[in-house]
Amino acid sequence: MIEIPDDLHPACLPIAWLLGRWEGAGLGDYPTIEAFRFGQEVEFTYVPDKPFLSYRSRSWILDDDGNLVRPAARETGYWRPQDNGEIEVLLTHPTGFVEIYLGQTEPARVELATRGVLKTETAKDYRTGHRLYGLVNGALMYVYEMSAMGHELQPHLSAELKRVTGATEARD
């Protein structure tokens, strides 16, 4: 059952299923790095009567037994659903780049592709991203593809996250 807060802006209804805190694990790989396992916490929160969700993701590298090795990627941003089923997502990374994604929402599914990437002078070469999120048997599952470091768009991350808190705890 998906909880929908009474003070959630109507524009956010198509993505209300994302609200809450999610935790789980995933796999990562790319031609420029060794394959790895990671743990992740993702939070989607809302501000009453505002037409966006706030987003925060934290991850950690895990060893083969699932123990924490070190902190990994962080990202924060905003998910801005539009009237026509489209969505705009803005993400900021402490590694020196900002992404703007455009995409489509469907029931329990969001697909995104980068519209633009801005990088600082010291950021690694990152060109484009593609993300697919879905609610599958109560879990938030996603895949993330990227083109970076001279390589074409290809799989980088995938994860399965379980809901830890729901929409009633997701108010900013």
Side-chain angles (χ1 to χ4, degrees):
M1 170 85 69
I2 297 172
E3 304 169 72
I4 299 178
D6 292 337
D7 55 357
L8 183 68
H9 191 282
C12 293
L13 291 175
I15 58 172
W17 59 274
L18 289 165
L19 284 170
R21 184 164 52 94
W22 303 80
E23 294 178 355
L27 301 172
D29 198 5
Y30 205 69
T32 59
I33 58 175
E34 283 190 40
F36 61 94
R37 294 180 56 200
F38 66 95
Q40 186 173 24
E41 176 187 84
V42 170
E43 282 186 292
F44 287 93
T45 59
Y46 75 100
V47 176
D49 301 316
K50 295 293 182 183
F52 62 85
L53 297 186
S54 300
Y55 166 82
R56 180 178 72 131
S57 171
R58 303 183 307 163
S59 61
W60 301 265
I61 301 297
L62 303 176
D63 66 17
D64 291 337
D65 296 321
N67 299 310
L68 179 91
V69 175
R70 68 180 180 278
R74 302 285 193 265
E75 56 187 22
T76 60
Y78 298 96
W79 291 51
R80 304 175 62 229
Q82 305 302 303
D83 293 336
N84 55 4
E86 293 182 354
I87 187 165
E88 302 168 350
V89 175
L90 300 90
L91 298 179
T92 303
H93 304 262
T95 53
F97 63 94
V98 176
E99 300 171 280
I100 297 174
Y101 282 91
L102 299 180
Q104 287 294 133
T105 62
E106 296 177 19
R109 182 179 189 270
V110 176
E111 186 166 5
L112 304 167
T114 48
R115 171 67 183 262
V117 176
L118 291 175
K119 301 178 294 194
T120 64
E121 291 295 321
T122 58
K124 290 183 181 178
D125 176 39
Y126 170 71
R127 302 294 169 110
T128 62
H130 177 264
R131 297 177 184 221
L132 178 62
Y133 294 83
L135 187 64
V136 180
N137 297 323
L140 174 58
M141 300 183 80
Y142 76 88
V143 293
Y144 169 47
E145 300 171 320
M146 71 176 185
S147 63
M149 308 300 288
H151 295 276
E152 296 299 317
L153 188 70
Q154 59 190 285
H156 175 47
L157 302 174
S158 63
E160 180 176 344
L161 310 175
K162 301 290 185 190
R163 190 186 306 271
V164 177
T165 62
T168 57
E169 293 86 18
R171 187 175 181 180
D172 267 349

